[in-house]
Amino acid sequence: EIVMTQSPATLSVSPGERVTLSCRASQSIFTDLAWYQQKPGQAPRLLIYGASTRATGIPARFTGSGSGTDFTLTISSLQPEDFAIFYCQQYHNWPPVTFGQGTKLEIK
Amino acid sequence: EVQLLDSGGRMVQRGGSLRLSCAVSGFTFRSYTMHWVRQAPGKGLEWVSSISATSLSTYYADSVKGRFTISRDNSKNTLYLQMNSLRAEDTAVYYCAKDRTTKVVEGGSLDNWGQGTLVTVSS
């Protein structure tokens, strides 16, 4: 099973700032990587698939990059509605798909 | 508009059974692989099970294999998860989710999710 590790666990950032979240796979997953955003009491929302392709309706301030084992999600200018928990997920040679443990983005 | 409506969650005793349902609309259900993902209280996301568009292939996490059964009725646009021999560690919000693509080789990312249904297993 491919293990996904996200860092940091929590990030305190001010609105308007740029932030980068990291995700590492235990083996190469090429670009079979998705990012999700989850707000309290809500279902996750797909942000990025294929490591760098924004899902339908996702603002351009969300950018995914990386390949192989190291990936990043960058939010260029944090908006108040962006504060949430972010999960990466690999789907290379699934099943199983596996998720990272999440990074909580909180307001500083 | 794509909609997924999870239902069936409730409190059940350890060792009991439950069937979850996910009624969908707004897309061609019979063309997509579907998934169940769960989230224990205060925890992260855990993939549970998946089923191919034609039901030919089903997949399970090791933690539920032999106890849970995924199925679908393409004539009713509904996905199911039969849960038997429930354990305390099965307590979670269960989400149904749609695969992003009809292309199986590119599948595995989940682009639409239900609102979730809470399963509580009491001891």
Side-chain angles (χ1 to χ4, degrees), chain B residues 2 4 14 18 37 42 46 53 57 79 86 92 97 103 109-110 112 122:
Chain B
V2 172
L4 294 84
R14 185 178 58 189
L18 205 55
V37 175
E46 179 189 14
S57 300
L79 175 72
L86 283 160
K103 300 175 183 177
S109 58
L110 286 55
N112 286 275
S122 65

Side-chain angles (χ1 to χ4, degrees), chain B residues 29-105:
Chain B
F29 179 67
R30 64 179 181 272
S31 297
Y32 287 86
T33 294
M34 296 294 294
H35 310 267
W36 288 98
V37 175
R38 69 184 180 184
Q39 187 169 37
K43 302 298 183 182
L45 301 170
E46 179 189 14
W47 170 76
V48 173
S49 183
S50 303
I51 185 168
S52 64
T54 60
S55 302
L56 201 61
S57 300
T58 58
Y59 311 97
Y60 300 93
D62 287 345
S63 57
V64 307
K65 200 172 294 181
R67 301 187 297 122
F68 290 11
T69 303
I70 190 171
S71 62
R72 63 193 296 162
D73 187 335
N74 286 346
S75 69
K76 294 182 178 179
N77 285 354
T78 304
L79 175 72
Y80 303 100
L81 186 67
Q82 177 67 43
M83 310 164 67
N84 298 333
S85 302
L86 283 160
R87 305 168 179 167
E89 54 266 35
D90 297 319
T91 294
V93 173
Y94 285 74
Y95 296 99
C96 65
K98 167 188 165 291
D99 204 282
R100 182 189 64 79
T101 176
T102 57
K103 300 175 183 177
V104 174
V105 293

Side-chain angles (χ1 to χ4, degrees), chain B residues 9-31:
Chain B
R10 62 174 175 87
M11 182 175 289
V12 62
Q13 285 195 333
R14 185 178 58 189
S17 297
L18 205 55
R19 189 176 84 156
L20 305 183
S21 299
C22 174
V24 314
S25 60
F27 66 99
T28 308
F29 179 67
R30 64 179 181 272
S31 297

Side-chain angles (χ1 to χ4, degrees), chain A residues 6 8-13 19 21 35-45 47 61-62 73 75 78-87 101-107, chain B residues 39:
Chain A
Q6 292 185 241
T10 304
L11 206 49
S12 297
V13 190
V19 65
L21 285 63
W35 288 96
Y36 300 85
Q37 177 191 50
Q38 187 179 33
K39 298 179 181 179
Q42 295 185 17
R45 176 175 73 146
L47 298 175
R61 64 180 181 273
F62 292 92
L73 174 69
I75 310 173
L78 276 166
Q79 301 299 301
E81 63 269 25
D82 296 338
F83 291 91
I85 299 176
F86 293 82
Y87 295 95
Q101 79 280 19
T103 291
K104 183 178 181 180
L105 195 56
E106 60 180 29
I107 299 176
Chain B
Q39 187 169 37

